[in-house]
Amino acid sequence: MRIGLIVFDSPVNSAEVASLAVLLREAGVSIEQIDTIARVRSAAKVTDILAAVAAETGFLIGELVGERRHNAVSVARFAVSWVAARAAGASTTTIGQVLGNRDHTTIIHQLRRATDLRQTDADFRALTDRLLQRFTGSIQ
């Protein structure tokens, strides 16, 4: 059996991740790459960021991971991507998986748009600064 991605509904620590790896191996699940476990932790944090953006913007998580391309929803996704890359160190692949299985190139585009918006939109910059502060303890 191969597991591509496991997403936790709450943050996990490295001891819990190591325990999960042992349990999976004992159950006969092969973990093909060592970074799979790191992606699990990263994805868990991205889901926390997704929930925080949903709460801050008033969108449902389903709207943020859905197909809707309305500007306000897209801008909220930009915030998720930007904060996830900075606060969680999440890869574009992991962010894309959490945001409704979007391609990593879509996330690269979102990161560029978010960077541009932070320069031109004070509200977007304030939102991303608040989220960055919440998830890292500082504004970088």
Side-chain angles (χ1 to χ4, degrees), residues 48-49 51-54 56-57 76 79-80 82-83 87 124-138:
D48 292 341
I49 292 166
V53 170
E56 287 263 354
T57 61
V80 173
W82 191 87
V83 175
F124 183 80
R125 184 178 183 97
L127 169 65
T128 54
D129 282 349
R130 278 193 310 276
L131 292 164
L132 193 60
Q133 172 75 32
R134 176 175 172 182
F135 287 98
T136 67
S138 67

Side-chain angles (χ1 to χ4, degrees), residues 38-132:
R39 285 193 317 244
V40 168
R41 292 194 70 209
S42 180
K45 194 160 190 178
V46 175
T47 59
D48 292 341
I49 292 166
L50 175 64
V53 170
E56 287 263 354
T57 61
F59 289 112
L60 299 173
I61 290 175
E63 292 175 295
L64 296 177
V65 300
E67 296 298 319
R68 191 168 169 210
R69 296 178 69 171
H70 186 268
N71 188 55
V73 174
S74 294
V75 168
R77 285 188 199 117
F78 299 164
V80 173
S81 295
W82 191 87
V83 175
R86 302 291 179 299
S91 70
T92 55
T93 301
T94 299
I95 296 167
Q97 288 172 334
V98 172
L99 282 176
N101 290 318
R102 286 174 163 75
D103 188 81
H104 77 280
T105 58
T106 299
I107 305 307
I108 291 168
H109 173 73
Q110 289 181 359
L111 291 170
R112 289 180 183 141
R113 291 287 309 273
T115 300
D116 292 345
L117 274 175
R118 283 182 48 83
Q119 300 301 315
T120 61
D121 184 330
D123 292 335
F124 183 80
R125 184 178 183 97
L127 169 65
T128 54
D129 282 349
R130 278 193 310 276
L131 292 164
L132 193 60

